[in-house]
Amino acid sequence: MKKMICSSGKWSLPLLMMGVALLMSSCGGKTTEQTVAKSLPEVIVETMSLEAVEQTFEYTGVIKPNIINMIGSQTSMRIEQFMVEVGDMVQKGQLLIKMEATNYLQTKLQLEQLKTDYQRAKTLYENGGASKQQIDQMETQIGVAEESLANLEMNTRLVSPVAGIVTRRMFDNGALTGGQPALEVQQINPVKIVINAEEGNFPAVKVGMPAQVRLDIYPEQVFTGKVSLIYPTINQVSHTFEVEIKIDNGNLKIRPGMFARVSLNYGVKDRVMVPDRAVIKQSGTNDRYVFTHNPDSTVSYKKITLGQRKTNHYEVLSGLEGGEQVVVAGQSRLVDGTKVTIKSDE
C-alpha cells in the first residue's frame, strides 16, 4: 500500500481530517454530550413550599378630629363678646359667644305683651265678651312668638355642641358675621384616621376589629384603635375602599394633622414565599416575573403577583404554586424556554 506523503514529508490534509474523524468516533457521543452540557447556562434553583403567613398590612394616613363643629349664628348678627379663645378646652353646652341681643330682647317683650293680652281676652271669653276664634288666634300668635324667641336665643348665645378644643376664630369682638361661622371647635377625644384598604381584604374587615397605630412623633409608643366605619363602595380606579378607625385619646397626646401608620391583622393564610433575589422587575412596568425550572431542564418566564415583604422574601399572591422550582441565581442569560443545568448553591 502506498503512503500518501507530500514532498515535505508531512501528512496530507485529507489524511489529517480522516484521523480527526476516527479519533472522534472512537470516543463515542460521550464527549459531545459533555461539551454541550458545559455550554448550557448554570442556574441555582429553590423548591417553593407553602408557609403560614400572618396577613398584617400597614397603611398610612393623617389623624383627624372625631367631629368638627363650625359655630355661628344663622343670620347676620354682630358679635358682642367671645367667651373663649383658640386653644381653650370646652365642655358640651358651654357658652362660647354672646351675640348682639337687640332683636332677642324686642321679641321677648312682644311675647310677654301677647301673653298679657291673651289672659285679658281669656277672661272676656269666659264672661262672653270675646269669641273662641279670637282666643285661638292669640294662642297661635303666642306659639309663633315662642318659637321665634327660642331661635333668637339659640343664635344670640352660642354654645358648644360637643366637648372639644377651640381651633379657630374667624372674627373679632364687634364684627358683623354675615351669617358666617365665627369659631371652630374640634372633638379630639376620640380621634380618627381614614385608610384605603385593598379590595381583596374587603370581606375580612369588620367593625370593631382592633388596629395598631404608630405616630412618627412618638416612635416608641403603640396606640390602640378600632374599626368604626367601613365605607360600602370600592374605588374602581385604585381598587381600594375606605376604612375609618377611631383611637381613644384621653390624654390628648394625639392631635389632628399628625402622620400615622396603621396595622391591621387579617389572620393567617398559606402562601408561597419567594426569595427576593429570584424576582425580576419588568422594565417600564410594575410587573414582576420569575424563571421556573421544568422537568425537561428548560425554564419558563412566569408573571407573579406579590404581597407583603418578609425579611428577604416576598409573599406570592398568584402565579406560583408549592412544589415549583424557581431560579434564584443565574437568570442573566435566560429567556423563556432556555435549557439549563443546575448547580448547587455553595
Side-chain angles (χ1 to χ4, degrees):
M1 181 176 179
K2 295 182 179 181
K3 295 182 180 179
M4 298 182 65
I5 303 175
C6 64
S7 60
S8 63
K10 295 182 180 180
W11 287 91
S12 65
L13 182 60
L15 285 178
L16 183 61
M17 293 178 65
M18 185 181 298
V20 173
L22 288 172
L23 180 62
M24 291 181 64
S25 63
S26 66
C27 295
K30 187 175 181 180
T31 302
T32 304
E33 291 175 359
Q34 290 176 343
T35 303
V36 171
K38 287 182 179 179
S39 67
L40 295 178
E42 290 185 326
V43 298
I44 299 172
V45 300
E46 285 187 18
T47 301
M48 298 296 98
S49 59
L50 291 175
E51 299 179 23
V53 180
E54 195 172 68
Q55 300 297 297
T56 302
F57 287 72
E58 184 176 279
Y59 308 94
T60 58
V62 176
I63 297 293
K64 298 180 179 181
N66 186 45
I67 297 173
I68 299 177
N69 284 124
M70 308 303 291
I71 311 298
S73 61
Q74 295 177 344
T75 58
S76 181
M77 299 178 72
R78 193 173 299 279
I79 297 171
E80 183 177 302
Q81 185 181 1
F82 281 101
M83 309 304 294
V84 292
E85 292 294 337
V86 172
D88 287 350
M89 301 300 299
V90 298
Q91 300 300 315
K92 182 178 180 180
Q94 181 177 335
L95 178 63
L96 304 179
I97 309 172
K98 286 182 180 180
M99 307 297 287
E100 189 176 55
T102 303
N103 291 339
Y104 171 79
L105 294 174
Q106 289 178 348
T107 303
K108 187 177 182 180
L109 289 173
Q110 291 173 359
L111 176 59
E112 290 174 354
Q113 185 62 49
L114 279 173
K115 287 182 176 180
T116 300
D117 293 343
Y118 172 74
Q119 290 299 327
R120 290 173 181 170
K122 191 174 181 181
T123 300
L124 289 173
Y125 171 71
E126 291 172 352
N127 295 322
S131 66
K132 182 66 167 65
Q133 183 178 8
Q134 289 175 312
I135 296 298
D136 291 342
Q137 288 176 346
M138 294 189 74
E139 288 178 346
T140 300
Q141 289 175 342
I142 289 172
V144 171
E146 286 176 338
E147 288 184 8
S148 179
L149 184 66
N151 183 64
L152 282 169
E153 182 176 14
M154 184 174 63
N155 283 277
T156 301
R157 295 175 59 83
L158 306 182
V159 301
S160 178
V162 296
I165 185 170
V166 179
T167 52
R168 277 200 300 162
R169 194 177 94 170
M170 295 75 155
F171 294 97
D172 294 322
N173 289 326
L176 192 65
T177 64
Q180 299 299 312
L183 277 181
E184 179 183 85
V185 175
Q186 296 185 4
Q187 186 185 68
I188 60 172
N189 181 30
V191 289
K192 65 184 179 182
I193 183 171
V194 178
I195 62 171
N196 293 298
E198 304 80 4
E199 178 181 349
N201 287 323
F202 187 81
V205 181
K206 307 294 182 185
V207 172
M209 176 185 291
Q212 290 188 334
V213 181
R214 292 175 172 82
L215 305 173
D216 287 359
I217 194 171
Y218 305 120
E220 304 301 323
Q221 190 168 358
V222 178
F223 299 87
T224 301
K226 288 185 178 180
V227 173
S228 56
L229 179 64
I230 303 168
Y231 286 75
T233 58
I234 308 293
N235 186 304
Q236 62 182 352
V237 177
S238 64
H239 296 285
T240 60
F241 62 101
E242 291 184 319
V243 179
E244 181 184 279
I245 295 165
K246 286 191 179 177
I247 309 149
D248 288 334
N249 190 31
N251 56 14
L252 304 182
K253 289 183 70 173
I254 308 175
R255 294 301 174 101
M258 289 181 175
F259 182 78
R261 306 175 193 275
V262 179
S263 295
L264 290 179
N265 191 321
Y266 299 117
V268 175
K269 290 184 179 180
D270 289 335
R271 299 288 197 198
V272 170
M273 297 296 290
V274 64
D276 55 4
R277 61 177 180 159
V279 179
I280 303 166
K281 183 181 184 299
Q282 183 69 43
S283 179
T285 72
N286 287 321
D287 295 337
R288 302 294 193 275
Y289 294 83
V290 294
F291 283 104
T292 57
H293 184 256
N294 303 317
D296 63 357
S297 295
T298 62
V299 294
S300 296
Y301 194 50
K302 280 192 174 183
K303 181 179 178 181
I304 59 174
T305 303
L306 300 181
Q308 308 169 78
R309 183 186 177 107
K310 302 281 189 180
T311 60
N312 60 346
H313 282 68
Y314 283 105
E315 175 189 25
V316 179
L317 303 181
S318 65
L320 276 180
E321 296 182 1
E324 290 191 270
Q325 289 187 321
V326 170
V327 177
V328 297
Q331 302 100 314
S332 60
R333 295 175 56 192
L334 304 184
V335 295
D336 192 43
T338 300
K339 197 157 189 172
V340 298
T341 57
I342 297 177
K343 68 175 181 177
S344 60
D345 187 3
E346 295 178 354

